[in-house]
Amino acid sequence: MADPERFLKFEHGYRDGLHSYTVAVDQSDLPSPVWPGLQKHDHYSEDPGLNPWHRHGINNWYGESLAVWRALTWALTAGRSRYVIPCYLRDEVAQCLGVDRSAIQLVRWEYEVDIELPDRETADYGFVPARTNSFLRPSEDTWDSDHVGFAGLFELNSFQQLTDIDRMLAGDTCSELTVFALHRSGRRDTLAAALSQIDRPDLAAILEPGEIFVDMAVDRECGAFPRSYLTVKTPHETRQVDHLADHFSQAFRRYLDMVGQIHTLNEFHAAIDGLLAPPHTAGLHQG
């Protein structure tokens, strides 16, 4: 691993009225699980609070790096009302969050960054018509077929929810989730209306100054696709992206330096809590 922090190096550009900060990495740049104990299945606890997969979204296949991407996303969007679109697996995520399908905020458009394309600019399609896997579940209930072209817009209330959603998406060959961080909860209706119109939405027209858009498009097959992408977009240039990238790069380096001293699950959880903590709560659990 020549540059273990490559998965946290953003490139800044300006496109379509927004500042864009993007990490584009192939599998060699996305570190595989680091702690050797993750390979020992018999050490995993049945208690979700003690199980690395349930607590952190980390196991012997999906390593610490994707958890760091989620932690950076959570820290970057702090102080705002957060809403997420989990691409494709709408109903599974609703069930995970305890949201009845009748209460799902349905929208016609979702964002797509195509991990089959190795160039960051051409891979960023923007908004595309939403789709779900409902057609794979034939049923006499017509709700699925009637709503196959709608994504779900869900409110995010905790970092654990973001982790749980990403875990739900991990069973596919690739996954994508999009987070909108808005000034206040009342902006949800404006966002939902923009994503429910017939015409293709314009992200620059949706975001107000100070609001943030984050997209995680991930190769889940570990090398089956050219790239994984972490994309941040803002109306105005910000130093916060690079500041948090530096923070988590240093945290990851410290984790690598001490991972050989981790021998138990409790020690692992404590180390990961420190790794994922934002700058102002370094060493504390995010909840």
Side-chain angles (χ1 to χ4, degrees), residues 267-282:
E267 292 173 351
F268 173 75
H269 293 315
I272 296 300
D273 287 342
L275 171 62
L276 303 184
H280 62 285
T281 58

Side-chain angles (χ1 to χ4, degrees), residues 248-263:
F248 285 108
S249 289
Q250 294 171 23
F252 189 65
R253 173 63 68 179
R254 290 193 298 269
Y255 175 75
L256 292 178
D257 289 343
M258 57 86 67
V259 72
Q261 304 170 33
I262 300 174
H263 303 292

Side-chain angles (χ1 to χ4, degrees), residues 57-224:
I58 298 171
N59 60 15
N60 63 322
W61 188 257
Y62 302 116
E64 297 88 339
S65 53
L66 291 181
V68 173
W69 272 12
R70 292 193 299 271
L72 189 150
T73 297
W74 191 254
L76 181 64
T77 57
R80 300 166 179 85
S81 297
R82 303 173 176 100
Y83 302 94
V84 62
I85 294 179
C87 295
Y88 199 54
L89 299 181
R90 177 197 66 208
D91 297 343
E92 289 81 354
V93 168
Q95 184 176 11
C96 172
L97 297 178
V99 177
D100 186 86
R101 72 180 188 184
S102 63
I104 299 173
Q105 175 67 67
L106 298 172
V107 294
R108 295 179 180 274
W109 298 89
E110 62 190 11
Y111 208 87
E112 182 175 356
V113 178
D114 189 349
I115 65 171
E116 293 189 16
L117 298 178
D119 178 75
R120 70 186 71 229
E121 291 193 2
T122 56
D124 190 338
Y125 289 161
F127 287 108
V128 299
R131 66 190 184 100
T132 71
N133 64 345
S134 297
F135 67 91
L136 297 175
R137 301 190 299 267
S139 170
E140 295 181 1
D141 184 349
T142 62
W143 192 92
D144 280 343
S145 58
D146 290 344
H147 296 88
V148 69
F150 291 86
L153 181 67
F154 300 94
E155 185 172 5
L156 272 179
N157 295 307
S158 69
F159 180 65
Q160 186 62 54
Q161 282 188 335
L162 179 60
T163 299
D164 290 342
I165 290 171
D166 198 44
R167 286 195 304 107
M168 291 300 300
L169 302 181
D172 230 336
T173 57
C174 58
S175 70
E176 187 162 8
L177 62 82
T178 303
V179 177
F180 299 86
L182 309 179
H183 285 315
R184 54 194 179 277
S185 58
R187 289 272 292 138
R188 170 184 173 171
D189 293 340
T190 303
L191 173 63
L195 299 181
S196 299
Q197 63 190 15
I198 299 300
D199 296 330
R200 187 171 183 259
D202 177 6
L203 183 60
I206 293 174
L207 295 179
E208 292 184 348
E211 296 183 334
I212 299 173
F213 165 96
V214 184
D215 185 272
M216 279 181 56
V218 178
D219 170 16
R220 297 288 183 173
E221 287 294 297
C222 296

Side-chain angles (χ1 to χ4, degrees), residues 32-44 59-61:
S32 56
V34 176
W35 183 49
L38 292 169
Q39 305 296 332
K40 301 175 181 179
H41 297 279
D42 57 326
H43 285 191
Y44 283 28
N59 60 15
N60 63 322
W61 188 257

